[in-house]
């Protein structure tokens, strides 16, 4: 049947066919004949299969992951004989009140090709995995014993159009249902609901076949379909997603409508909604569940969107296919801008210079147009959709132009998006992937590299700019988000973008001993795969937010809270800037807290006017409370939070939307008592004793602190490479982890040149260097001590011509594993690195050492707490170790060594030992986004240079 608009409910009967089907899997398409479609076929030897779902996730065959490569020979439109084929059968009865007349058999999504029979009659076949397909079946239905038979092939000609970066997962993975279509029921309908921001009025017109009436009680509207009516309305935006309840009534059916009035245009070189420029704080979203693949229930969809809203995300690109239609209903309700993308990607042809690319072959044009129609017709009534996207990574070709022409004619109310054509000949926005900060700035100034065609060049320079993919969220990262956001705010042409991507696609698996991990490419024996590149999301497979999502929330927060410079020291003024596109600040309340060394010394409400979007207000904080009885001395900070004033559908009142911190004048502590430095002395057993420290006299290594055994500290420059350190092989420039390994930074050798016991210090002179080079780091450890504190001063001098940055620079040590509780004053509560630390707020934090770890699907460097002033590790009785740093340091503690972390492929490979490995870093190299995007910005690189830093060690309890 022709495609039509989807609607979730009506008064016409529907019968869901979810549940248990009978199933048989063959390794080829021709393994069995078509006799299984006969109603009397004996399927008693078949297995049960719950649908919707993917058969490889139900114990039949195995999933496979590739990024761009087709997992079969590229010989379009043909596919190999090795073609897993699933036969499905379902017997069903009609409800007693079903009645006679037309009916539709609906398939919401089947990968990748299906042939369908009902009661022995073949209905036809279809392709287009993430798109709906329907058959007229009224004359074939009978009251009882209907037999639906479906043969699904994993590979088909349609697979060449579905080379999206995701798991290959065949099956009937979306809803299957039968819809009764009484005479006079709705064949199709199109809701047009525009908004005039100059007059505040909305215009409603509903096209419908057959004709009927539309009522909107809240607006007092009752009009015939095809007629227009204008009324004052509250517009729909992602910030204030107001929907009007209406009803479409025809002779045979009543359909509830949810109408959002809004107008989308590209004008004055900007993408505008309701007359205002919008800034997209977006994510790309695949449909994914760690157990069920692309089969998602409404609870998971709502959970995703609530989590997005709570993290200040306002836009979704449906990469790279239309989502389940219920997801778009939720976007309408909760408020997100949507770029709805066609089920089209031919990326695998790039490996052969786009030779044979279907989008530039007229023989494929009907298939491309069919996919465009099925997306637009199904989704056209959603106010959340502000852009149609032709597809993803298909190169260029006449087929895309045909799709664009049809979309413009069918729905001129929405602009078109497509990234793959730099000329933008068929698009209304200029879109790029992974452009670095320098290029984004050039584009923002409309000074990008010129096109050869002057006319196209002039047109493109007038288009708004989006990053449809940026900030690759693979593993630890992404870095550089703050710098991107400042460019989006500085240049009005740069209207934001979409982080790649929302969720890690790890499939939940168990080890033989019951351990749970998430599998990625290669874990299922694939002969061709792309490893853990499928795990590149802001949330983990179980939908737990990663540090990257927490960072993104802070970077894109719609309210900026910052100190007004030039205060008198006794008072502090803050500037509150409203970065919303439409909403004033009336929906927020503001609270302040004054804390000294992380301990609250006062809090209260802050009166902030309801400033409009783009406006600012300056507000003076109260005077700091006076310390009581000498308490509360030391480093002091103001924290101001913007909180929801009332409950919303996605968060309760009190939810934190934004925050800012400002330093307050330091309250000086009492003068410390004078201390006498201890003198080093020789002890029994070839040791040197200095205050609470006991050292090996030959190596100068610290062995005991107040009688507590430890190993180290000694200089360390290696970290377990992150996915961004490893970098994508196609990225320009050196791959950091490869360079580090080439230099030998993972196997540094240590040499002691001298151990010198002076009058009040122990000096250990060393050289740390990799094998096979003349590079080295001359390192001097200078130890001094008071009665209870051991102080270490480290001086590092590089030798040789170092070709690149270091991963880290600091000291590492091993301590007793019973020290299971961490407490620190500094950045937290989550991890942070030089270019991912915006979300780290200064405070006093405490958590178990095990909670410090970030369980990236592929283990890698994680868990550093930045800008730490002091940290301590303790047991349950309060005994333990304390470290103070000068200057501030980065603190990491874990139950395995960095070498064990680097060697692990999955979280279950990490076995806790009887020691804690403690890293006290003077500096770390940034994170960047080089797993698919730009590397670390210059200001966040850890260049090799002389360094000096110190720590004070003491015991507790």
């Amino acid at each position: 049947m022709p495609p039509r608009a989807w609607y979730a409910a009506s008064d016409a009967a529907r019968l869901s066919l979810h549940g248990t089907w009978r199933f048989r899997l063959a390794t080829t398409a021709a393994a069995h004949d078509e006799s299984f479609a006969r109603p009397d076929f004996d399927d008693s030897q078949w297995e049960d299969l719950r649908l919707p779902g993917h058969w490889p996730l139900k114990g039949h065959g195995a999933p496979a992951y590739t990024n761009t490569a087709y997992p079969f020979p590229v010989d379009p439109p043909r596919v190999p004989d090795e073609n897993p084929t699933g036969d499905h059968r379902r017997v069903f009865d009609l409800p007693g009140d079903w009645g006679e007349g037309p009916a539709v058999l609906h398939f919401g999504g089947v990968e990748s090709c299906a042939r369908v029979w009902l009661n022995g009659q073949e209905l036809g076949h279809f392709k287009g995995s993430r798109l709906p397909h329907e058959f007229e079946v009224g004359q074939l239905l009978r009251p009882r014993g209907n037999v639906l038979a479906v043969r699904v092939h994993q590979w088909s000609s349609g697979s060449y159009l579905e080379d999206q970066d995701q798991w290959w997962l065949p099956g009937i993975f979306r809803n299957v249902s039968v819809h009764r279509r009484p005479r006079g029921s709705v064949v199709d309908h199109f809701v047009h609901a525009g908004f005039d921001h100059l007059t505040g009025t909305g215009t409603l017109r509903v096209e419908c076949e057959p004709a009927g009436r539309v009522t909107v009680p809240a607006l007092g509207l009752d009009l015939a379909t095809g007629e227009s009516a204008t009324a004052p309305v509250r517009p729909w935006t992602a910030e204030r997603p107001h929907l009007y309840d209406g009803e479409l009534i025809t002779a045979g059916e009543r359909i509830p409508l949810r109408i959002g009035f809004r107008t989308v245009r590209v004008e004055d070189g900007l993408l505008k909604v309701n007359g205002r420029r919008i800034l997209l704080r977006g994510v790309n979203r695949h449909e994914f569940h760690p157990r069920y693949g692309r089969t998602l229930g409404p609870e998971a969809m709502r959970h995703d969107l609530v989590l997005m809203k709570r993290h200040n995300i306002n836009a979704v690109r449906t990469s790279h296919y239309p989502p389940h239609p219920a997801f778009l209903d939720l976007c309408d309700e909760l408020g997100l801008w949507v770029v709805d993308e066609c089920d089209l990607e031919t990326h695998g042809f790039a490996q052969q210079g786009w030779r044979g690319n279907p989008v530039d072959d007229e023989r494929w044009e009907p298939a491309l147009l069919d996919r465009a129609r099925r997306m637009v017709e199904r989704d056209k009534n959603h106010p959340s959709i502000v852009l149609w996207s032709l597809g993803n990574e298909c190169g260029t070709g006449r087929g895309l132009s045909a799709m664009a022409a049809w979309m413009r004619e069918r729905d001129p109310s929405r602009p078109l998006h497509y990234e793959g054509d730099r000329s933008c000949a068929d698009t209304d926005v200029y879109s790029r992937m992974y452009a670095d900060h320098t290029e984004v700035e050039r584009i923002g100034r409309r000074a990008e590299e010129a096109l050869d065609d002057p006319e196209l060049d002039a047109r493109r320079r007038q288009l708004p700019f989006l990053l449809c993919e940026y900030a690759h969220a693979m593993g630890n990262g992404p870095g550089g988000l703050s710098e991107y956001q400042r460019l989006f705010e500085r240049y009005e042409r740069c209207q934001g973008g979409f982080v790649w991507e929302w969720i890690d696609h790890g499939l939940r698996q168990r080890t033989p001993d019951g351990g749970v991990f998430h599998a990625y490419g290669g874990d299922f024996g694939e002969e061709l795969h792309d490893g853990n590149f499928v795990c590149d999301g802001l949330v983990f497979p179980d939908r737990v937010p990663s540090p990257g999502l927490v960072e993104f929330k802070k970077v894109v927060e719609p309210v900026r809270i910052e100190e007004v410079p030039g205060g008198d020291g006794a008072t502090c003024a803050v500037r509150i800037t409203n970065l919303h596109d439409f909403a004033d600040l009336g929906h927020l309340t503001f609270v302040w807290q004054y804390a000294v060394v992380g301990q609250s010394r006062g809090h209260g409400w802050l009166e902030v006017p309801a400033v409009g979007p783009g406006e600012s207000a300056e507000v003076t904080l109260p005077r700091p409370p006076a310390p009581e009885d000498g308490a509360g001395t030391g480093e002091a900070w103001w924290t101001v939070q913007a909180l929801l004033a009332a409950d919303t559908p996605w968060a309760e009142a009190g939810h934190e939307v934004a925050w800012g911190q400002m330093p307050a004048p330091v309250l000086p502590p009492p003068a410390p008592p004078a201390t006498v430095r201890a003198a080093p002395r020789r002890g029994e057993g070839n040791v040197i004793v200095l205050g609470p420290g006991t050292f090996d006299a030959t190596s100068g290594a610290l062995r005991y602190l107040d009688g507590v055994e430890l190993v180290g500290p000694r200089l360390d420059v290696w970290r377990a490479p992150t996915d961004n350190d490893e970098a994508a092989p196609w990225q320009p420039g050196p791959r950091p982890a490869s360079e580090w390994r080439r230099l030998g930074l993972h196997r540094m050798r240590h040499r002691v040149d001298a151990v010198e016991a002076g009058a009040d210090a122990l000096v250990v002179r060393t050289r740390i260097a990799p094998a096979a080079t003349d590079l080295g780091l001359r390192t001097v450890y200078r130890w001094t001590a008071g009665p209870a504190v051991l102080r270490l001063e480290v001086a590092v001098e590089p030798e040789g011509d170092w070709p690149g940055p270091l991963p880290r620079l600091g000291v590492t040590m091993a301590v007793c594993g019973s020290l299971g509780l961490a407490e620190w004053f500094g950045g937290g509560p989550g991890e942070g690195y030089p270019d991912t630390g915006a979300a780290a707020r200064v405070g006093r934090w405490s958590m178990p050492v095990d909670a410090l770890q970030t369980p990236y699907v592929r283990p890698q460097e994680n868990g550093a707490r930045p800008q730490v002033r002091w940290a301590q590790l303790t047991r349950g009785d309060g005994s333990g170790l304390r470290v103070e740093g000068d200057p501030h340091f980065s603190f990491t503690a874990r139950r395995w060594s960095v070498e064990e972390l680097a060697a692990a492929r999955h979280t279950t490979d990490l076995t806790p030992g009887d020691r804690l490995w403690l890293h006290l870093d003077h500096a770390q190299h940034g994170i960047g986004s080089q797993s698919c995007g730009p590397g670390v910005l210059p200001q966040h690189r850890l260049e090799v240079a002389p360094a000096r830093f110190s720590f004070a060690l003491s015991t507790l309890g």
Side-chain angles (χ1 to χ4, degrees):
M1 297 185 67
R4 63 186 175 106
W6 171 259
Y7 44 95
S10 84
D11 65 345
R14 293 185 183 183
L15 175 64
S16 170
L17 298 184
H18 293 189
T20 301
W21 293 48
R22 302 294 285 168
F23 177 75
R24 172 182 68 184
L25 180 65
T27 58
T28 69
H32 300 288
D33 61 22
E34 300 168 11
S35 60
F36 84 101
R38 296 198 313 263
D40 60 351
F41 181 84
D42 182 7
D43 60 14
S44 61
Q45 301 303 308
W46 290 18
E47 298 187 54
D48 286 343
L49 182 71
R50 293 283 299 177
L51 292 181
H54 304 276
W55 70 66
L57 301 183
K58 306 282 188 177
H60 306 280
Y65 166 64
T66 61
N67 171 22
T68 63
Y70 289 105
F72 47 79
V74 180
D75 183 26
R78 301 168 184 83
V79 294
D81 291 341
E82 295 90 350
N83 188 358
T85 296
D87 289 336
H88 306 70
R89 283 172 54 92
R90 174 69 191 268
V91 180
F92 65 94
D93 301 331
L94 296 176
D97 58 353
W98 184 267
E100 297 182 351
V104 168
L105 174 62
H106 173 91
F107 291 88
V110 182
E111 184 173 332
S112 73
C113 173
R115 292 180 65 190
V116 184
W117 294 260
L118 179 61
N119 294 329
Q121 175 70 47
E122 183 169 6
L123 304 180
H125 75 277
F126 61 83
K127 301 162 190 172
S129 298
R130 269 70 68 174
L131 295 162
H133 301 272
E134 295 180 328
F135 298 96
E136 164 57 48
V137 295
Q139 293 182 345
L140 296 176
L141 289 173
R142 50 199 185 200
R144 301 184 60 81
N146 292 283
V147 178
L148 177 61
V150 185
R151 172 165 287 175
V152 178
H153 305 293
Q154 175 159 12
W155 310 124
S156 70
S157 59
S159 302
Y160 286 99
L161 304 179
E162 297 173 3
D163 191 28
Q164 293 97 338
D165 175 10
Q166 60 180 342
W167 293 98
W168 296 94
L169 291 171
I172 302 172
F173 66 92
R174 284 188 189 157
N175 48 298
V176 182
S177 51
V178 182
H179 301 187
R180 187 166 183 266
R181 309 307 298 143
R183 185 179 302 277
S185 60
V186 176
V187 175
D188 195 14
H189 71 291
F190 196 165
V191 177
H192 304 273
F195 177 72
D196 186 335
H197 65 281
L198 298 177
T199 63
T201 58
T203 300
L204 177 66
R205 178 171 58 87
V206 179
E207 300 173 10
C208 183
E209 181 189 350
R213 300 199 66 78
V214 177
T215 63
V216 186
L219 297 177
L221 295 182
D222 185 345
L223 62 155
T225 57
E227 293 181 350
S228 294
T230 301
V233 298
R234 294 170 58 188
W236 189 98
T237 69
E239 294 170 5
R240 292 174 172 168
H242 188 77
L243 294 170
Y244 288 90
D245 289 328
E247 190 173 41
L248 173 61
I249 306 164
T250 65
E253 191 174 17
R254 303 173 78 97
I255 297 173
L257 300 178
R258 302 172 83 199
I259 302 167
F261 290 88
R262 59 102 186 95
T263 297
V264 186
R265 289 196 180 100
V266 172
E267 57 184 10
D268 304 321
L270 300 174
L271 175 64
K272 295 182 179 181
V273 177
N274 301 338
R276 295 186 65 91
R277 170 191 185 260
I278 61 172
L279 181 57
L280 301 175
R281 303 167 169 91
V283 292
N284 286 273
R285 174 191 176 268
H286 271 294
E287 291 186 307
F288 182 76
H289 190 282
R291 291 186 177 181
Y292 310 121
R294 284 185 284 283
T295 299
L296 264 68
E299 298 82 6
M301 296 181 210
R302 181 176 286 274
H303 180 85
D304 277 349
L305 287 173
V306 165
L307 205 55
M308 289 178 192
K309 294 286 287 188
R310 289 178 178 175
H311 286 84
N312 295 328
I313 290 165
N314 71 357
V316 174
R317 177 181 176 226
T318 69
S319 54
H320 298 293
Y321 41 83
H324 192 290
F327 180 81
L328 298 174
D329 288 338
L330 290 169
C331 290
D332 295 341
E333 172 193 334
L334 297 175
L336 284 102
W337 310 117
V338 175
V339 178
D340 198 4
E341 192 149 84
C342 195
D343 190 9
L344 178 60
E345 179 167 339
T346 63
H347 202 172
F349 286 88
Q351 298 183 4
Q352 49 196 33
W354 297 106
R355 185 176 64 256
N357 186 10
V359 305
D360 198 29
D361 184 335
E362 62 182 7
R363 294 174 297 176
W364 289 84
E365 192 171 300
L368 303 182
L369 287 171
D370 179 69
R371 289 170 185 252
R373 291 187 183 109
R374 291 187 181 280
M375 174 183 71
V376 171
E377 299 294 6
R378 190 197 75 169
D379 296 343
K380 57 182 177 277
N381 294 324
H382 291 282
S384 56
I385 297 173
V386 293
L387 288 167
W388 298 118
S389 179
L390 302 179
N392 183 68
E393 292 175 322
C394 295
T396 60
R398 69 198 82 171
L400 294 172
S401 298
M403 293 170 66
W406 181 87
M407 288 181 180
R408 284 199 170 97
E409 181 179 1
R410 179 59 175 142
D411 180 24
S413 73
R414 291 180 176 95
L416 300 187
H417 168 274
Y418 178 66
E419 178 271 340
D421 184 0
R422 294 284 181 90
S423 75
C424 299
D426 295 315
T427 71
D428 300 303
V429 296
Y430 179 25
S431 177
R432 289 290 310 281
M433 291 182 180
Y434 307 108
D436 64 23
H437 302 78
T438 300
E439 183 177 359
V440 170
E441 182 165 25
R442 285 200 305 268
I443 294 171
R445 293 188 284 109
R446 302 189 188 269
E448 65 266 29
E449 183 178 348
L451 296 171
D452 292 335
D453 185 319
E455 184 176 342
L456 284 176
D457 183 70
R459 177 180 177 275
R460 192 181 73 176
R461 289 183 195 278
Q462 297 306 310
L463 298 181
F465 175 70
L466 304 177
L467 278 168
C468 67
E469 293 180 22
Y470 81 113
H472 197 249
M474 186 175 178
N476 188 334
L481 286 172
S482 295
E483 290 81 1
Y484 273 120
Q485 197 67 19
R486 296 302 171 264
L487 292 171
F488 301 157
E489 295 168 4
R490 183 181 311 146
Y491 298 104
E492 66 173 5
R493 183 191 190 189
C494 298
Q495 295 190 239
F498 301 85
V499 170
W500 186 268
E501 65 159 310
W502 174 242
I503 189 168
D504 285 343
H505 298 201
L507 291 169
R508 192 175 190 270
Q509 299 288 295
R510 287 190 178 272
T511 62
D513 61 358
V516 175
F517 68 98
H518 289 103
Y520 47 78
D523 287 334
F524 298 96
E526 304 103 303
E527 62 182 9
L528 187 69
H529 67 85
D530 286 292
N532 70 312
F533 201 73
V534 76
C535 295
D536 43 17
L538 291 171
V539 298
F540 297 123
D542 56 7
R543 286 177 161 74
V544 171
S546 77
L549 180 58
V550 178
E551 176 81 355
F552 190 58
K553 175 185 179 179
K554 173 61 181 169
V555 168
V556 302
E557 60 189 6
V559 180
R560 180 154 304 133
I561 303 169
E562 54 195 350
E563 183 179 9
V564 177
D568 60 10
T571 60
C572 179
V574 294
R575 180 180 294 112
I576 312 291
T577 303
N578 182 2
L579 300 175
H580 289 89
D581 296 324
F582 297 92
D584 63 27
L585 297 185
H587 66 295
L588 301 175
T589 58
F590 292 80
V591 297
W592 62 266
Q593 182 190 58
Y594 177 76
V596 180
V597 196
Q599 299 291 332
S600 178
R601 298 293 184 228
H603 60 86
W605 300 101
L606 191 64
E607 293 296 328
V608 177
V611 298
E615 299 177 355
S616 298
E618 293 186 5
V619 183
T620 301
L621 294 169
R623 287 186 175 272
E628 299 177 2
D629 300 326
T633 60
E635 189 176 348
W637 285 81
W638 294 100
T639 301
V640 176
Q641 298 170 281
L643 311 176
L644 287 179
D647 293 347
T648 70
W650 48 270
E652 295 179 347
H655 166 78
E656 183 183 76
V657 173
W659 59 272
Q661 281 192 311
M662 290 67 63
V666 174
L667 301 179
T675 59
V676 178
R677 284 190 174 182
R681 60 181 176 82
R682 285 279 180 173
E684 295 182 4
N686 194 37
V687 300
I688 296 174
V689 178
L690 177 62
T694 301
F695 298 80
D696 185 294
T698 301
S699 66
L702 178 63
R703 292 290 179 244
Y704 296 92
L705 180 68
D706 258 347
V708 178
E709 185 178 9
L710 47 76
V711 178
R714 70 175 186 175
L715 194 76
D716 187 22
V717 298
W718 179 244
R719 73 184 185 195
T722 67
D723 289 312
N724 288 303
D725 292 337
E726 296 288 4
W730 59 84
Q731 293 296 89
R735 300 168 66 185
S738 297
E739 287 298 296
W740 294 338
R741 292 190 189 95
R742 184 183 66 81
L743 290 175
L745 300 189
H746 60 310
R747 46 175 173 78
M748 299 290 278
R749 299 294 179 256
H750 296 249
R751 185 185 77 217
V752 176
D753 291 334
V755 179
E756 302 167 352
D760 63 353
L762 175 65
V763 177
V764 182
R765 304 183 187 278
T766 69
R767 187 176 189 270
I768 295 93
T773 79
D774 62 354
L775 304 175
L777 298 170
R778 288 279 182 184
T779 305
V780 177
Y781 306 92
R782 188 175 189 273
W783 294 94
T784 58
V789 177
L790 191 62
R791 295 181 177 85
L792 168 63
E793 299 175 16
V794 182
V796 181
E797 292 288 339
E799 292 182 342
D801 185 13
W802 288 78
L806 295 174
R808 69 176 352 132
L809 183 66
V811 296
T812 185
M813 56 195 297
V815 299
C816 179
S818 63
L819 300 173
L821 180 66
E823 185 177 5
W824 72 98
F825 176 50
E831 72 182 28
Y833 291 82
D835 54 350
T836 65
R841 64 184 90 185
V842 177
R844 186 166 180 164
W845 311 103
S846 177
M847 65 182 67
V849 166
D850 294 337
L852 294 174
Q853 316 312 308
T854 303
Y856 294 112
V857 173
R858 184 191 72 79
Q860 56 198 271
E861 166 62 35
N862 74 89
R865 268 55 183 183
Q867 296 296 306
V868 173
R869 283 72 162 162
W870 56 258
Q872 51 194 40
L873 297 169
T874 57
R875 303 177 181 88
D877 61 4
S879 63
L881 172 71
R882 180 181 174 95
V883 181
E884 298 178 38
D886 183 19
H888 303 160
F889 62 100
S890 179
F891 160 72
T892 309
R894 47 184 167 240
R895 298 190 181 276
W896 34 79
S897 69
V898 69
E899 291 78 15
E900 292 171 318
L901 184 61
R905 293 187 67 248
H906 299 99
T907 53
T908 47
D909 296 334
L910 294 168
T911 303
D914 57 1
R915 293 176 172 176
L916 285 183
W917 294 91
L918 181 61
H919 295 270
L920 311 173
D921 290 314
H922 171 62
Q924 283 244 14
H925 186 59
I927 297 297
S929 189
Q930 205 173 347
S931 53
C932 193
V936 175
L937 288 165
Q939 62 267 36
H940 302 306
R941 290 167 57 91
L942 178 52
E943 303 294 357
V944 182
R948 280 162 177 63
F949 49 94
S950 64
F951 301 100
L953 309 178
S954 58
T955 57
L956 302 168

